[in-house]
Amino acid sequence: TYCIKVRRVFNLLLQFGNEKLLSYQNLKFLILAKALKIPEKNLQIPDSNLLSKLLAHTDECCDDELIRWLYSSLFAAALNKANNDKVHAAFTSIISEMNPHDAKLLYDLDIQGPLADYVCTNSKTLGKRRECLYEDVYLKDSDYHYDFNDTLSLLNLERMNLIRIDKGTQLMNPGINDKFHKNELYDRAQKDKNKYGESANIEIDTFVYRFTPFGVEFRNICLDKMEQG
């Protein structure tokens, strides 16, 4: 039975008519491993619109390990009839617009959590305007270190409607607020404030980020926390 199932999944991939996909061994084996967990009665060829988008982005999803994982999970989910109302064709474009750092941050984020803006203020040079220098997110991982790319990745995840930053809700948690004052990003902001004048100050505004319903569905389909990876 196992051999029959392996052959059926492999034949499904062959029917996609994309020989190049099958030459990407790491990606192929990931898809096969995940597809083999699908009940045989649920195996299907995805609809033509989704299938064409999956194949169109193959080249962009093979090099990085985590992006390859996201793509293979999406591909395998599309092979399962049970996911027909959950898999959205836009998921393929989202993965293709991620860089490895975006994917890593997506993997590390909880469904919701605290986020901070490091804001420079100087009444003499900025007037009433407050200049946001950096944006950071608190991760539970104790050995986490800020990477400047986090700011860009947060903006990209928000742009793709995967997360929503609720700046109408201020975070009141002294313990977490203290962490934002005791990291390398705060030290960096203190140094960078000098270009706004000697009397410039750094203030930290704390908010909450949340995954959108669309983002939650994307996580459920594409992420699965690499438990088998």
Side-chain angles (χ1 to χ4, degrees):
T1 303
Y2 180 79
C3 292
I4 293 174
K5 192 171 184 180
V6 170
R7 189 178 303 113
R8 184 172 182 190
V9 171
F10 189 76
N11 287 339
L12 279 174
L13 291 175
L14 285 176
Q15 289 181 53
F16 291 161
N18 188 335
E19 295 182 0
K20 183 167 20 177
L21 174 65
L22 294 178
S23 71
Y24 294 164
Q25 296 300 319
N26 290 333
L27 181 59
K28 179 184 70 174
F29 291 144
L30 273 177
I31 295 173
L32 285 173
K34 295 175 182 183
L36 289 175
K37 298 176 183 178
I38 302 171
E40 191 168 354
K41 64 180 181 180
N42 286 347
L43 283 172
Q44 67 173 3
I45 298 177
D47 71 77
S48 58
N49 179 49
L50 176 58
L51 180 58
S52 64
K53 291 184 182 298
L54 283 167
L55 297 179
H57 294 295
T58 301
D59 290 346
E60 304 157 18
C61 302
C62 288
D63 294 334
D64 179 74
E65 179 184 10
L66 187 48
I67 290 179
R68 188 165 58 239
W69 181 272
L70 295 175
Y71 180 83
S72 64
S73 295
L74 175 59
F75 209 121
L79 294 172
N80 190 341
K81 292 179 183 178
N83 294 322
N84 284 348
D85 61 342
K86 302 173 184 176
V87 176
H88 197 289
F91 290 173
T92 58
S93 298
I94 288 174
I95 296 174
S96 72
E97 292 180 20
M98 285 185 180
N99 65 23
H101 195 88
D102 296 341
K104 177 65 167 60
L105 189 61
L106 177 79
Y107 180 82
D108 288 333
L109 291 178
D110 289 331
I111 290 292
Q112 67 178 40
L115 176 140
D117 281 352
Y118 290 73
V119 179
C120 184
T121 62
N122 189 333
S123 58
K124 294 181 179 179
T125 58
L126 294 175
K128 294 183 179 180
R129 186 164 60 88
R130 307 170 77 242
E131 186 77 16
C132 182
L133 301 182
Y134 305 109
E135 199 158 54
D136 194 16
V137 65
Y138 172 70
L139 303 175
K140 290 187 298 184
D141 188 355
S142 59
D143 63 357
Y144 169 76
H145 295 288
Y146 175 78
D147 186 315
F148 180 70
N149 288 309
D150 285 355
T151 298
L152 298 178
S153 291
L154 283 168
L155 292 173
N156 195 34
L157 296 180
E158 185 179 25
R159 178 187 67 83
M160 295 187 292
N161 195 35
L162 296 180
I163 66 171
R164 182 175 296 118
I165 298 173
D166 183 3
K167 294 196 172 182
T169 303
Q170 290 214 337
L171 180 71
M172 304 300 291
N173 186 319
I176 291 178
N177 288 349
D178 191 50
K179 290 180 181 293
F180 285 124
H181 284 82
K182 294 181 178 180
N183 62 18
E184 59 192 83
L185 182 59
Y186 182 71
D187 295 337
R188 181 173 180 170
Q190 288 289 353
K191 294 177 181 178
D192 288 350
K193 74 179 182 181
N194 293 330
K195 61 186 176 183
Y196 293 97
E198 294 183 359
S199 58
N201 294 303
I202 294 297
E203 297 179 3
I204 300 180
D205 294 338
T206 52
F207 308 103
V208 175
Y209 76 85
R210 294 182 177 86
F211 273 83
T212 65
F214 184 76
V216 170
E217 203 63 65
F218 179 85
R219 281 169 54 100
N220 291 341
I221 289 294
C222 300
L223 202 56
D224 67 35
K225 285 296 181 183
M226 295 184 71
E227 292 176 353
Q228 305 299 323

